[in-house]
Amino acid sequence: NKPLGVLVHSKGAYNPEATVASWLKDRKGFDFPADNDRGGIVHRLDRATSGVMICAKNKTSLGFLQKQFQTRKAKKTYVAVVSGVPKQAHAMIDLPIDRNPKKPQTFRVNNNGKSAQTEYKVIESSENLSLLELKPITGRTHQLRVHLNHLNNPIVGDVMYGGASNDRMLLHAKTLEITIPGGERKTF
């Protein structure tokens, strides 16, 4: 259960900041070389996103779990509070995403981008806010954030993508359904 504000792994250069990957290095049973700064990391969550992650204890498990993300067999569910009320109560957003050349740390909807699909459902709404359940089919960087901003329903606290100011981004990885080594399908 990754807390808000924690980086999943360092971005290459020396970084003394605690990350999920550095936390894993200190755990018994994790079998990765000491110089592997991403040992055990199967998938990522943005620093500002809290919630469930799965990590591997060895290279065999790492490959087994990562393949499920690559083949879209891992099923993720998020919850988010967004500004406004989406026009449809339940829909599939199917819009390609690529890096924004004018602001390279961000992404945008663009016809030349990679395919990206997000299913959403409104759980509850008021006049100004909605609680959504989000199920990304693909796993593009910032996908949920970009898709919701494009719909003019940005995530509250996501100032990078037009969200209303808040003390945190209101996006949480609620569940992860995946087959663990040994063949059992589990939902965390």
Side-chain angles (χ1 to χ4, degrees), residues 6-168:
V6 174
L7 197 59
V8 172
H9 59 72
S10 293
K11 297 175 183 174
Y14 171 73
N15 179 9
E17 178 182 359
T19 64
V20 173
S22 65
W23 182 83
L24 290 176
K25 282 184 180 184
D26 296 334
R27 305 274 95 46
K28 289 183 179 179
F30 282 83
D31 184 24
F32 290 93
D35 63 349
N36 186 337
D37 68 344
R38 296 185 187 186
I41 299 299
V42 175
H43 64 110
R44 297 181 307 237
L45 292 176
D46 293 339
R47 179 193 294 265
T49 303
S50 60
V52 68
M53 284 186 65
I54 192 164
C55 301
K57 288 186 171 184
N58 56 55
K59 282 185 176 183
T60 303
S61 295
L62 182 67
F64 178 79
L65 295 169
Q66 284 177 329
K67 184 151 185 84
Q68 291 176 71
F69 282 87
Q70 292 163 355
T71 59
R72 301 182 183 158
K73 296 211 178 354
K75 305 295 180 199
K76 300 171 283 182
T77 302
Y78 293 76
V79 289
V81 176
V82 301
S83 296
V85 181
K87 289 182 176 112
Q88 296 177 282
H90 183 213
M92 177 69 73
I93 305 166
D94 189 357
L95 297 167
I97 294 174
D98 73 354
R99 191 170 296 278
N100 183 349
K102 293 180 183 174
K103 199 173 175 188
Q105 69 273 30
T106 66
F107 292 79
R108 65 183 183 174
V109 168
N110 185 288
N111 287 336
N112 296 324
K114 293 181 180 177
S115 171
Q117 295 93 29
T118 303
E119 180 183 3
Y120 76 85
K121 181 167 70 172
V122 176
I123 303 300
E124 193 174 326
S125 63
S126 68
E127 191 175 313
N128 300 318
L129 299 171
S130 297
L131 174 65
L132 304 184
E133 179 182 81
L134 304 161
K135 295 187 177 191
I137 308 306
T138 53
R140 306 288 174 229
T141 302
H142 297 181
Q143 176 177 317
L144 303 175
R145 300 165 67 185
V146 171
H147 275 167
L148 291 168
N149 181 49
H150 188 77
L151 293 184
N152 294 316
N153 299 111
I155 298 170
V156 172
D158 187 4
V159 294
M160 183 180 283
Y161 290 102
S165 182
N166 195 55
D167 61 351
R168 69 158 290 180

